């Protein structure tokens, strides 16, 4: 696709100065405050932010579900306000909650969508069969969706958003609440989609997810994009190194964190693994690293694994926003849902 003969194809997503307000009573909140985005074709862009940062609102504006109050945005060269129908015909959206009908079977859900999108007869049934196979749901296709596990529901929801093979896919926290195995399955699906040429904008509450999937990551806080870059670039922006520890006894983690904080002078982060502990090494603190293990030994804390590497995305997030990313983030679009309902 080109804007003019011989010219380069448009970016998959391009936004400049996006603004969105929500009003409740006499109070007006600026949910998105001047966000700029540039997402090339065939890439994954991860959008990270604390609860209420504006991630879902950005996605809904780009998907034409909300009208921006300021700024401009184009998806595949189409303006999201003035050419909304063209945008809708080229994108897919998977929200934080399943959008399929739980009383229908997986096959019935996909077949209904296929027919709505213009597939007829054998073409519709073949498209549905292909999607069920691609998402490892063939055996479950004849069952009602309400009997599906959490991972299966997310997969059928993803399949529903791909009936029309969208060129741009918006995934709003697609793996929230999934077990590690189901989450890895969704990650594999995203990788295959990108290999086939799709562009993905992913919002997530999982730092590891952004690290694994995203070519570039944007950090949004209080409606503003406060940092953007590759995972490596963001990690380098907060320090030259990080200490990664694995403890022999998970009950000693709080004590170990206090020791590491005393030695390095930085606040350790606590990953979901109860035996793990990470801490950023300050730029002028390389000489302090050698003191960490002796100090832990003196405190009677056994450390079977110790490594020095880059800061984690947890450290990046804590440094940029002043708070850790919540372990279980809720929908930052409560006001958005209210707006859509109206």
């Amino acid at each position: 696709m080109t804007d003019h003969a011989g010219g380069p194809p448009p970016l998959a997503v391009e936004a400049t100065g996006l603004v969105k307000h929500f009003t409740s009573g006499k109070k007006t909140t600026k949910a998105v405050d001047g966000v700029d985005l540039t997402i090339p074709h065939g890439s994954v862009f991860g959008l990270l932010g604390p609860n209420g940062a504006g991630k879902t609102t950005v996605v809904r504006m780009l998907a034409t579900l909300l009208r921006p109050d300021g700024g401009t945005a184009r998806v595949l060269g189409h303006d999201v306000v003035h050419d909304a129908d063209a945008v809708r015909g080229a994108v897919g959206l998977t929200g934080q909650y399943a959008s399929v009908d739980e009383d229908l079977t997986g096959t019935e859900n996909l077949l209904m969508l296929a027919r709505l999108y213009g597939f007829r007869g054998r073409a519709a049934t073949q498209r549905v069969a292909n999607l069920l196979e691609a998402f490892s749901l063939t055996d479950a296709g004849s069952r009602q969706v309400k009997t599906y596990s959490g991972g299966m529901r997310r997969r059928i929801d993803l399949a529903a958003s791909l009936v029309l093979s969208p060129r741009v896919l918006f995934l709003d926290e697609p793996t929230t609440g999934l077990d590690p195995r189901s989450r890895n399955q969704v990650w594999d699906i995203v990788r295959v989609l990108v290999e086939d040429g799709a562009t993905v904008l992913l919002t997530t509450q999982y730092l590891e997810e952004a690290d694994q999937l995203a070519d570039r990551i944007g950090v949004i806080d209080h409606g503003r994009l406060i940092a953007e870059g590759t995972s490596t670039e963001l990690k380098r922006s907060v320090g030259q190194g990080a200490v990664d520890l694995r403890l022999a006894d998970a009950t000693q983690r709080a004590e170990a964190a206090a020791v590491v904080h005393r030695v390095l002078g930085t606040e350790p982060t606590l990953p979901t693994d109860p035996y793990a502990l990470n801490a950023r090494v300050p730029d002028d603190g390389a000489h302090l690293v050698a003191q960490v293990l002796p100090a832990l030994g003196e405190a009677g804390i056994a450390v079977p694994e110790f490594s020095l590497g880059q800061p984690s995305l947890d450290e990046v997030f804590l440094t940029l926003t002043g708070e850790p990313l919540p372990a279980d983030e809720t929908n930052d679009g409560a006001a958005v849902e209210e707006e859509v309902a109206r």
Side-chain angles (χ1 to χ4, degrees):
M1 180 178 179
T2 59
D3 281 330
H4 56 275
L11 291 163
V13 177
E14 184 176 18
T16 304
L18 275 185
V19 173
K20 185 63 185 177
H21 304 90
F22 293 109
T23 301
S24 178
K26 296 183 179 180
K27 181 180 180 182
T28 297
T29 301
K30 186 175 283 188
V32 175
D33 187 9
V35 166
D36 299 333
L37 289 176
T38 301
I39 306 176
H41 285 275
S43 64
V44 179
F45 187 90
L47 195 58
L48 284 171
N51 185 30
K55 304 184 300 300
T56 294
T57 306
V58 168
V59 166
R60 288 181 175 272
M61 284 192 286
L62 294 175
T64 75
L65 296 179
L66 287 174
R67 187 184 182 98
D69 293 324
T72 60
R74 299 174 73 84
V75 177
L76 297 171
H78 304 294
D79 188 278
V80 299
V81 174
H82 303 296
D83 204 1
D85 286 343
V87 174
R88 292 175 190 139
V91 306
L93 169 63
T94 297
Q96 296 177 24
Y97 305 102
S99 59
V100 294
D101 189 328
E102 293 194 341
D103 289 325
L104 298 180
T105 67
T107 297
E108 288 168 343
N109 268 288
L110 297 183
L111 194 57
M112 176 180 64
L113 289 170
R115 288 171 176 164
L116 287 172
Y117 282 129
F119 290 88
R120 293 292 179 265
R122 184 173 177 80
T125 56
Q126 187 60 53
R127 181 59 179 161
V128 170
N130 290 343
L131 285 168
L132 290 173
E133 181 179 2
F135 286 84
S136 302
L137 291 169
T138 300
D139 292 341
S142 60
R143 288 166 43 196
Q144 288 179 300
V145 171
K146 64 185 176 184
T147 69
Y148 287 11
S149 67
M152 293 168 67
R153 290 184 188 215
R154 295 310 289 158
R155 296 206 304 276
I156 195 67
D157 207 36
L158 277 169
S161 68
L162 297 174
V163 169
L164 204 58
S165 300
R167 296 166 60 191
V168 175
L169 183 60
F170 300 115
L171 300 180
D172 192 13
E173 298 190 13
T175 63
T176 297
L178 296 188
D179 60 83
R181 180 175 177 274
S182 297
R183 188 175 301 160
N184 285 332
Q185 288 177 329
V186 173
W187 291 359
D188 289 341
I189 291 167
V190 172
R191 293 184 182 107
V192 169
L193 292 172
V194 175
E195 287 175 3
D196 288 343
T199 303
V200 175
L201 172 58
L202 168 80
T203 76
T204 178
Q205 61 179 304
Y206 301 114
L207 295 162
E208 182 188 5
E209 188 160 79
D211 218 353
Q212 287 280 336
L213 295 176
D215 299 295
R216 294 185 67 79
I217 299 168
V219 179
I220 187 171
D221 193 31
H222 294 96
R224 291 180 175 273
L225 199 67
I226 59 175
E228 182 185 340
T230 66
S231 176
T232 299
E233 289 170 346
L234 291 175
K235 290 172 183 177
R236 286 176 177 168
S237 72
V238 301
Q240 295 302 309
V243 169
D244 301 314
L245 306 173
R246 185 166 181 81
L247 308 176
D249 184 352
T251 64
Q252 293 183 305
R253 188 161 74 159
E255 184 182 357
V259 172
V260 172
H261 180 257
R262 173 169 53 81
V263 174
L264 295 180
T266 56
E267 189 68 37
T269 56
L270 307 178
T272 53
D273 181 351
Y275 293 88
L277 181 69
N278 313 120
R280 181 169 55 90
V281 178
D283 290 338
D284 59 351
H287 64 288
L288 300 174
V289 174
Q291 302 176 27
V292 172
L293 281 180
L296 290 168
E298 290 175 5
I301 301 171
V303 182
E305 295 181 26
F306 177 94
S307 64
L308 180 64
Q310 284 187 325
S312 66
L313 277 180
D314 299 76
E315 288 284 347
V316 173
F317 202 88
L318 181 63
T319 300
L320 291 173
T321 68
E323 59 183 276
L325 196 65
D328 185 18
E329 186 176 353
T330 56
N331 187 355
D332 71 346
V336 175
E337 301 295 346
E338 222 174 277
E339 175 83 1
V340 172
R342 288 199 291 268

